[in-house]
Amino acid sequence: MELTPLIQELNQGKHLANQLRTHLHLSSSSHAVHLIHQILRSYDNALLSLESTPVPTNAPVKNRDVSKKRKVMPKWSERVKVASASASAVEGPLHDGFSWRKYGQKDILGSKFPRGYFRCSHRFTLGCKATKQVQKSDTDPTIYEVTYKGTHTCNRPLHSKTQQQQHHQKPSLQHPMPPKQEQRPDDDEPSCQSFSPEVAAIHVKSEMFDDIDIDNGFCRPLRPPSLLFESEVQDDDQSPFRESEWFGLCCDFETGVVSIPNSVTNNICIEELEEYCSFDNLELFC
DNA sequence: CTTATTTGACCGGC
DNA sequence: GCCGGTCAAATAAG
């Protein structure tokens, strides 16, 4: 499509801005860092707008879409590292704010660990078609690879009041948080939600956005934080970090890996992450 | 009793 | 025919 060079150009500009921010951060100019952040947000917003732009009807159609095959849902994956050894195969990586129900598990050829299949709990009540797959990494059992498919149309993230009533669910993949964190004394909408200290790193990788269903009323998938988003992220974690530390976060803008040192995870607010890692797109469109 | 999970069966794509 | 994904009955948990 014609927009691809434009998207690449924007990505390049964003990448350069990231580099500039790193330099500015080293000079401890908070105002400059803030300005860079605004620039990056503009890049993100522009990219989001482009990616949600409907393809013109006269655009060439991919061969595989000509048939009546079922629509391919937007899909992306995360790799979530769970530092705690207590995390077993049935426990999940990261509480992602939505309520999931497990509907299957399969042994995958060539993989040591089975893959769990989850769908949104509101599949039948609200017709939410979001699903996710969770599988332990073969190479590092502390890393869970989470693949999301489809968008949440239920508009009910777990931290809303309605979802918090589901605390009776037994701990499973959708409740990887330690019980102490689940039982917040404040049942109202939390203004500051802490990360689980078990989560040491989150790796978000886009896998496919070329079949976004524009017609279903949700032209944008529930996507990972845009700052962490790279369209062509290498799957290996061998590349060295290029670090930029904000509030203790180590953001590798090349690979999309955000490391959260355990010493600070208890003090990081979601809102701070939203502010500084463009998390705000996460639930805005679902 | 209600709801969630488990797990073998089934289905469709390749 | 193989394999990944989903279904649905059985089972477990609250």
Side-chain angles (χ1 to χ4, degrees), chain A residues 34-107:
Chain A
H34 180 70
L35 287 175
I36 285 293
H37 173 64
Q38 303 276 37
I39 295 172
L40 284 168
R41 270 211 164 163
S42 296
Y43 276 117
D44 286 335
N45 290 334
L47 286 166
L48 280 170
S49 298
L50 284 173
E51 286 160 1
S52 62
T53 301
V55 179
T57 52
N58 58 353
V61 180
K62 293 178 184 175
N63 289 337
R64 61 189 172 94
D65 290 337
V66 172
S67 67
K68 291 284 185 180
K69 286 179 185 176
R70 87 177 88 163
K71 283 189 176 182
V72 180
M73 304 287 274
K75 175 176 137 185
W76 59 92
S77 67
E78 292 181 9
R79 297 181 67 212
V80 180
K81 183 177 178 67
V82 181
S84 168
S86 66
S88 68
V90 293
E91 285 181 303
L94 173 66
H95 173 57
D96 56 13
F98 286 93
S99 174
W100 301 95
R101 175 179 291 189
K102 190 174 187 176
Y103 66 87
Q105 178 171 303
K106 286 282 288 186
D107 288 322

Side-chain angles (χ1 to χ4, degrees), chain A residues 6-19 43:
Chain A
L6 185 54
I7 291 175
Q8 287 175 347
E9 200 64 29
L10 284 168
N11 273 319
Q12 174 71 6
K14 181 183 168 184
H15 180 70
L16 292 171
N18 271 320
Q19 291 183 328
Y43 276 117

